[in-house]
């Protein structure tokens, strides 16, 4: 029962982060607020990270994708921090 529950949690995390990325991108297209763009890109990387987690732990358990997972999560957070700093510099 526990592996089935873990798989459900992984898939729900992927679906949630994908949904957030889509909604943030849609919000950016409607409003043009750059914070939504940076957040959308961040959540896209986080969704990719969750997809790799599903592939790594459920589909290909013998293959180690931990490095790629770490790179995608770092890229997501890095894009968000870069966007925050860039927007702050343009306002100043």
């Amino acid at each position: 029962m526990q592996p089935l529950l873990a798989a459900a949690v992984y898939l729900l995390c992927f679906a949630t982060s994908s949904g957030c990325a889509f909604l943030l991108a849609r919000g950016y297209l409607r409003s043009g607020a750059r914070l939504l763009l940076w957040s959308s890109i961040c959540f896209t990387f986080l969704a990719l990270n969750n997809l790799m987690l599903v592939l790594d732990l459920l589909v290909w358990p013998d293959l180690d994708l931990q490095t790629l997972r770490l790179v995608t999560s770092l890229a997501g957070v890095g894009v968000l921090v870069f966007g925050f700093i860039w927007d702050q510099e343009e306002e100043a």
Side-chain angles (χ1 to χ4, degrees):
M1 183 68 183
Q2 191 163 1
L4 183 62
L5 185 61
V9 169
Y10 298 149
L11 291 172
L12 285 174
C13 288
F14 171 68
T16 303
S17 56
S18 298
C20 287
F22 172 75
L23 292 173
L24 288 165
R26 191 176 72 175
Y28 169 71
L29 292 176
R30 287 186 179 172
S31 70
R34 292 172 45 140
L35 180 62
L36 294 175
L37 173 66
W38 298 119
S39 300
S40 172
I41 295 171
C42 174
F43 272 92
T44 301
F45 277 113
L46 294 178
L48 188 60
N49 180 23
N50 285 324
L51 178 62
M52 283 193 216
L53 179 67
V54 170
L55 293 176
D56 189 14
L57 298 180
L58 300 177
V59 179
W60 301 308
D62 297 333
L63 192 62
D64 186 18
L65 297 176
Q66 184 175 11
T67 304
L68 288 174
R69 291 186 350 228
L70 291 174
V71 168
T72 55
S73 63
L74 180 65
V77 174
V79 164
L80 190 60
V81 169
F82 176 76
F84 285 155
I85 292 171
W86 189 352
D87 283 346
Q88 280 292 342
E89 288 180 357
E90 286 187 359
E91 290 179 9

